[in-house]
Amino acid sequence: MSSPSHAPADARRNLLIVGAGGFGREVLTYIEDDNPLFRPKGFLDSRTSALDGMHRSVGIVGDPLTYVPVSGDVFMAALGDPAARLKYTETLRTLHDVDFATVVHPQANVTRHARLGRGCIVAPRVGISVDVQIGDFVCIQEYTVIGHDVQIGDWCQINSHCSIGGGAKIGNFVSIHPNCVITSGTVIGDNVKVGAGSVVYGRIPPNITIMGNPARRFAWN
């Protein structure tokens, strides 16, 4: 039997998850399920009580706006709101220029010809077809299927059970809520929010909210 001094060194990097809300806790389970690259170090969250009453393997170790990275740290941004994701990673990105990991759960099916940017999170049972291009800091939730040649910009949130048809183009900071169908060839502008259960086709201008089947512009007032 080898002595402990001869045991292989643990080469995994220390992972800090920005955001200790529901999405952050989901991401922690992704890493704990099966990930040979990262070892959870803790959460970064300005809400020091965010994990009160929740028994997790790691706790909140700092605030993302004040945390000072050390050697071996790597980060993930697990915030469902793209604007919050941008805000709470700004200091880490611009002042410290840290490494944000892209994590694809082993139960996701991502073809080898798809390209993902940095800081992306792909949940279990997601399907991503050939020649898909996905920007930085994009999160894709469970059971979503993305067809061939789809282009997705930076900082998008695509929630669960969505279907994005081949050739669709999605801008930056787009939020697509659960159970939506984005039909083939649809073009969605920057900062668009798509309400749950919508069916979207055609060209959607930027900076609006759409909802329905077929999806149309929506406002509460």
Side-chain angles (χ1 to χ4, degrees):
M1 177 182 292
S2 300
S3 67
S5 62
H6 294 155
D10 186 348
R12 292 179 298 171
R13 301 178 68 186
N14 294 319
L15 178 70
L16 291 119
I17 301 170
V18 179
F23 187 22
R25 286 179 270 120
E26 287 180 349
V27 168
L28 176 62
T29 65
Y30 299 165
I31 302 302
E32 292 174 332
D33 281 351
D34 181 12
N35 193 294
L37 301 177
F38 308 121
R39 175 180 48 245
K41 180 176 180 179
F43 292 94
L44 298 180
D45 201 305
S46 57
R47 305 164 299 171
T48 56
S49 62
L51 292 177
D52 285 358
M54 299 181 185
H55 304 289
R56 295 297 188 274
S57 59
V58 293
I60 296 172
V61 298
D63 186 314
L65 301 180
T66 58
Y67 181 79
V68 178
V70 299
S71 177
D73 282 351
V74 62
F75 298 81
M76 292 180 68
L79 297 157
D81 177 7
R85 198 179 305 154
L86 177 73
K87 174 182 176 181
Y88 287 104
T89 59
E90 182 175 6
T91 301
L92 293 166
R93 289 182 291 106
T94 61
L95 180 62
H96 300 296
D97 193 23
V98 301
D99 186 10
F100 276 88
T102 283
V103 171
V104 177
H105 194 279
Q107 293 181 16
N109 181 15
V110 179
T111 65
R112 63 181 181 277
H113 294 296
R115 292 193 303 171
L116 283 74
R118 74 164 181 153
C120 294
I121 299 172
V122 178
R125 293 170 283 277
V126 166
I128 299 178
S129 187
V130 295
D131 300 308
V132 170
Q133 298 182 41
I134 296 175
D136 295 336
F137 296 97
V138 173
C139 299
I140 305 172
Q141 296 283 33
E142 293 190 58
Y143 294 102
T144 281
V145 176
I146 298 175
H148 62 85
D149 298 301
V150 167
Q151 297 179 28
I152 299 175
D154 299 332
W155 303 99
C156 291
Q157 177 74 21
I158 310 211
N159 285 307
S160 58
H161 294 275
C162 292
S163 175
I164 301 178
K169 296 181 180 178
I170 297 171
N172 302 312
F173 292 98
V174 172
S175 291
I176 301 176
H177 290 276
N179 297 298
C180 288
V181 175
I182 312 299
T183 58
S184 297
T186 289
V187 178
I188 297 179
D190 295 343
N191 301 302
V192 167
K193 293 180 174 59
V194 183
S198 297
V199 178
V200 184
Y201 68 91
R203 301 184 70 89
I204 308 300
N207 305 309
I208 65 171
T209 297
I210 57 174
M211 182 179 293
N213 179 9
R216 300 186 184 281
R217 189 166 188 163
F218 172 82
W220 291 106
N221 297 315

